[in-house]
Amino acid sequence: MARVSKTKSADGLPEGGEEKGRSLAGTQTLVRGLEIIDAVSLRPLGLPELAESIGLTRSTAHRLAGTLVEHRYLNFVRGMGYSLGPRILELGYLTARQTSLPRVAREHLEQLAARTGDTVHLGVLEDGQALYLDKISGNRRVEISSRIGERQPLRSTGLGKALILDASEAQWREYYDLEARQGRGYDVDLQLWLRRMREYAKNGYAFDLEENEDRIRCVAAPVRDVSGRIVGAISVSSAAQYMDDMRMHGLTFEVRRASEAISSELGYNPGVDGAAAEGGKRRRTASTRD
Amino acid sequence: MARVSKTKSADGLPEGGEEKGRSLAGTQTLVRGLEIIDAVSLRPLGLPELAESIGLTRSTAHRLAGTLVEHRYLNFVRGMGYSLGPRILELGYLTARQTSLPRVAREHLEQLAARTGDTVHLGVLEDGQALYLDKISGNRRVEISSRIGERQPLRSTGLGKALILDASEAQWREYYDLEARQGRGYDVDLQLWLRRMREYAKNGYAFDLEENEDRIRCVAAPVRDVSGRIVGAISVSSAAQYMDDMRMHGLTFEVRRASEAISSELGYNPGVDGAAAEGGKRRRTASTRD
DNA sequence: CCCATAATCCCAAATCATGAGATAAACCCT
DNA sequence: AGGGTTTATCTCATGATTTGGGATTATGGG
């Protein structure tokens, strides 16, 4: 009977299944173990604090944490307490290896294509260009003429702009100048382009206003990984007749929702700062993938 | 009664606690959950295979895996099965951030210093040099004159050689030539040096045979992280009078044991190939740390 | 040397996980 | 489409497994 006071899951009400309350029943021990990992992940903790923060008795916390230590999910050092262990490092590495951007993105791209009816692209930054990794054609009359594996300029495409949304102003100039020096035609001058980029960066999306190809417009948004870095971008493209300003604005929400869903599956957590806090200004000149 | 048949833990023998058998008692559910993660980490699995491979009933495997999915430790996609989830990516990232090489290495360095009585160093590769991050003085008469933060050449120090043990033959030549061009004196010619490096690389350690400083010898071994890359090295140094050939040979075991212990805490798993399988030849020209 | 704090161990009580089987959903050949 | 097969989800009585109070042992500081 003593137990009842502490357990938070299926205690009082046998009904009440609103909110996020009772997980799948029948896994209290596992869930508590995961809660311990969660607690420790925030900051290393001693046993008493640990037990306290999860709402467990010292006995139970000790037993579960001990098992996690035994399996190398946690480290334990006297006087320092519990911290995340090497097994999690291993698993994280394995996860990263088996979590490839295109595979994770696929279903979200499909949903986005289905909802918008337009052509959807996935791309990454490579050698100062946007590399198209996946494409799902829409169901409009007009077909967008792009191919997987194709490279496009950064400054004039929605996808390209989304890929460099986090770059510094100086880097933006470099990208712009680089493509200018390559002799590509482009009818948006640097100042206007920078002004737009600032706006895009602030809002987390980017447009292509018939800049790259006549009569083609698109809305794009960046995809981030666990470290918060932009590792790719997605876009919705269509003929200008289907893409008036109002629709483009509406699409920013659709596109961002999809890009955020992908980012989330890649481990991105908007709350935790990630790389932004460390590197900030410098960094990122070219390739994003290894 | 039905349960008995499947459970593998405390079934038949009430005694038998040899090998690695019964973990801490009272955590069956947690352990099974971790086993599920282990199984999935090898390769994505469907429910039936999963249940089979752990030796659980479908019901139980389903329930536990469901909980892991709910907590984002696993992904589940129809037709594909379970795979490692984004939460593990997040945790891996957090672990990497709070697992710094010097901190992890400290206690192993101390043990190594205590066991050998000699001076122990920890270093990393930075800008084509060995950077000393930590030092524990031995208890011999002769003091090794090195300081934390100091930089040393790669080709003539044990630590330096250990840091580039994985490099290609071409890269070895580059390192050698680079320091030769810098006008540093060195009395080991390229061919002999390369022959020694091949030998060191094969065995996973490196020597300094009074090459860097007269009358000082040392034994070094590389430290690897979760990706299998060399991220640092440790060494035991002493005056030549305490370091005859036989002792150096004996020390290779001590030093490697310590370096492997550190690597293990950094998530290195000798079994899983890691980066070696992907990149192999090219790569690695300078800095290893970010 | 002794006290305070933290870690570990013990064991009876009963909550909680368990697994067989039933049902539903998805899939896939023909 | 259709029937058969595989896979996913759910239910529930049973008792094995986890639980937590408290005793015991390490640890560390003054």
Side-chain angles (χ1 to χ4, degrees):
Chain A
M1 61 170 57
R3 175 126 20 104
V4 166
S5 60
K6 293 287 188 172
T7 45
K8 56 168 80 163
S9 48
D11 47 0
L13 331 164
E15 202 65 42
E18 75 274 90
E19 281 273 12
K20 52 166 292 189
R22 59 94 202 288
S23 312
L24 301 191
T27 47
Q28 190 187 78
T29 307
L30 213 204
V31 170
R32 285 177 168 181
L34 300 183
E35 283 174 349
I36 287 179
I37 294 177
D38 285 353
V40 170
S41 76
L42 301 175
R43 108 195 105 89
L45 291 170
L47 218 214
E49 309 168 272
L50 214 193
E52 169 68 19
S53 77
I54 316 284
L56 295 178
T57 59
R58 242 158 292 121
S59 301
T60 303
H62 176 253
R63 183 160 22 83
L64 297 179
T67 296
L68 290 170
V69 168
E70 196 168 89
H71 287 245
R72 307 199 308 133
Y73 278 70
L74 298 183
N75 288 323
F76 179 70
V77 273
R78 285 179 312 101
M80 200 123 313
Y82 296 91
S83 58
L84 296 176
R87 178 91 254 250
I88 292 183
L89 226 36
E90 291 173 15
L91 289 172
Y93 183 71
L94 289 172
T95 309
R97 289 190 65 167
Q98 60 178 248
T99 304
S100 76
L101 176 58
R103 219 188 50 217
V104 167
R106 200 74 211 329
E107 65 174 320
H108 298 282
L109 301 179
E110 281 165 359
Q111 283 176 26
L112 190 56
R115 264 209 294 276
T116 62
D118 292 313
T119 298
V120 172
H121 283 111
L122 168 71
V124 296
L125 184 62
E126 191 162 286
D127 297 330
Q129 292 184 299
L131 169 64
Y132 285 68
L133 290 186
D134 204 352
K135 170 189 181 177
I136 294 173
S137 294
N139 48 23
R140 311 274 190 204
R141 293 287 157 69
V142 208
E143 176 75 13
I144 307 288
S145 64
S146 63
R147 284 212 310 260
I148 294 178
E150 188 179 53
R151 287 156 197 278
Q152 290 286 339
L154 293 175
R155 64 176 180 178
S156 59
T157 60
L159 234 160
K161 287 174 197 151
L163 287 171
I164 57 173
L165 223 49
D166 277 354
S168 67
E169 186 116 356
Q171 290 170 318
W172 282 340
R173 285 173 193 270
E174 273 177 41
Y175 284 123
Y176 187 98
D177 289 342
L178 183 69
E179 295 185 355
R181 263 182 274 113
Q182 290 169 349
R184 302 169 173 282
Y186 190 40
D187 54 10
V188 178
D189 80 20
L190 178 59
Q191 290 313 318
L192 173 57
W193 187 79
L194 286 175
R195 223 175 306 134
R196 285 182 180 165
M197 285 301 288
R198 282 190 283 266
E199 181 70 10
Y200 295 150
K202 200 176 66 186
N203 297 319
Y205 60 73
F207 289 152
D208 167 0
L209 299 162
E210 308 182 40
E211 299 157 39
N212 194 58
E213 210 167 329
D214 201 35
R215 308 260 58 202
I216 300 291
R217 293 181 156 204
C218 90
V219 179
V223 172
R224 298 169 189 280
D225 74 0
V226 65
S227 70
R229 270 180 22 201
I230 293 177
V231 294
I234 61 176
S235 70
V236 170
S237 312
S238 199
Q241 69 231 52
Y242 304 113
M243 283 285 216
D244 59 43
D245 291 357
M246 207 182 75
R247 176 146 197 267
M248 290 187 82
H249 181 258
L251 279 177
T252 61
F253 295 96
E254 288 282 353
V255 175
R256 277 197 311 195
R257 194 195 311 161
S259 74
E260 281 160 14
I262 299 169
S263 298
S264 166
E265 280 200 50
L266 294 177
Y268 175 59
N269 190 322
V272 181
D273 49 64
E278 308 177 335
K281 290 309 164 56
R282 59 211 167 78
R283 71 166 44 203
R284 198 81 308 113
T285 299
S287 82
T288 293
R289 321 160 59 223
D290 192 28
Chain B
M1 58 165 69
R3 182 147 350 128
V4 167
S5 61
K6 292 288 189 175
T7 46
K8 56 166 81 164
S9 47
D11 47 0
L13 332 165
E15 201 65 42
E18 76 274 271
E19 282 274 11
K20 53 166 292 191
R22 59 92 204 288
S23 313
L24 300 191
T27 46
Q28 189 187 77
T29 308
L30 213 203
V31 170
R32 285 175 168 182
L34 300 183
E35 282 173 350
I36 287 180
I37 295 176
D38 285 352
V40 170
S41 76
L42 300 175
R43 110 194 103 91
L45 291 170
L47 218 214
E49 310 169 272
L50 214 193
E52 170 69 19
S53 77
I54 316 285
L56 295 178
T57 59
R58 241 161 293 116
S59 301
T60 303
H62 177 252
R63 183 159 22 82
L64 295 179
T67 297
L68 289 170
V69 168
E70 196 167 89
H71 286 246
R72 305 199 310 133
Y73 278 70
L74 298 182
N75 286 324
F76 179 71
V77 273
R78 293 210 38 84
M80 199 122 314
Y82 296 91
S83 58
L84 296 176
R87 179 89 255 249
I88 292 183
L89 226 36
E90 292 173 13
L91 289 172
Y93 185 70
L94 289 172
T95 309
R97 289 188 65 163
Q98 55 178 254
T99 304
S100 76
L101 177 57
R103 220 189 46 217
V104 166
R106 201 74 212 326
E107 64 174 319
H108 298 282
L109 300 180
E110 282 165 358
Q111 284 175 25
L112 190 57
R115 263 209 294 277
T116 62
D118 292 313
T119 297
V120 172
H121 284 111
L122 168 73
V124 296
L125 184 62
E126 192 162 286
D127 297 331
Q129 292 183 299
L131 170 63
Y132 286 68
L133 291 185
D134 204 352
K135 171 189 179 177
I136 294 173
S137 295
N139 48 26
R140 313 270 189 207
R141 291 287 157 69
V142 207
E143 175 77 12
I144 308 289
S145 64
S146 64
R147 283 211 311 259
I148 295 178
E150 188 179 50
R151 287 157 196 276
Q152 290 287 337
L154 293 176
R155 65 175 180 178
S156 60
T157 60
L159 234 162
K161 288 172 198 153
L163 288 171
I164 58 174
L165 223 48
D166 277 354
S168 67
E169 185 115 358
Q171 289 170 317
W172 281 341
R173 285 172 192 272
E174 273 178 42
Y175 283 123
Y176 186 99
D177 289 342
L178 183 68
E179 294 185 355
R181 262 182 275 113
Q182 289 170 349
R184 301 170 173 283
Y186 190 40
D187 53 11
V188 178
D189 81 20
L190 178 60
Q191 290 312 319
L192 174 57
W193 187 80
L194 286 175
R195 222 175 307 134
R196 285 182 180 166
M197 285 302 288
R198 282 191 282 266
E199 181 69 12
Y200 295 151
K202 200 175 67 183
N203 297 319
Y205 61 72
F207 289 152
D208 168 359
L209 299 162
E210 308 182 39
E211 299 157 40
N212 195 56
E213 209 166 330
D214 201 36
R215 307 262 57 202
I216 299 291
R217 293 179 155 206
C218 90
V219 178
V223 172
R224 298 170 189 280
D225 74 359
V226 66
S227 71
R229 271 181 19 202
I230 294 177
V231 295
I234 63 176
S235 70
V236 171
S237 313
S238 200
Q241 70 231 52
Y242 303 113
M243 282 286 217
D244 58 46
D245 290 356
M246 207 182 75
R247 175 147 198 268
M248 289 186 83
H249 181 259
L251 279 178
T252 62
F253 295 96
E254 290 281 354
V255 174
R256 278 197 310 197
R257 193 194 310 161
S259 74
E260 281 160 15
I262 298 169
S263 297
S264 166
E265 279 199 50
L266 294 177
Y268 175 59
N269 190 323
V272 180
D273 48 62
E278 308 177 335
K281 290 310 165 57
R282 57 209 169 78
R283 71 166 44 200
R284 196 83 309 113
T285 299
S287 84
T288 293
R289 325 160 58 221
D290 191 28

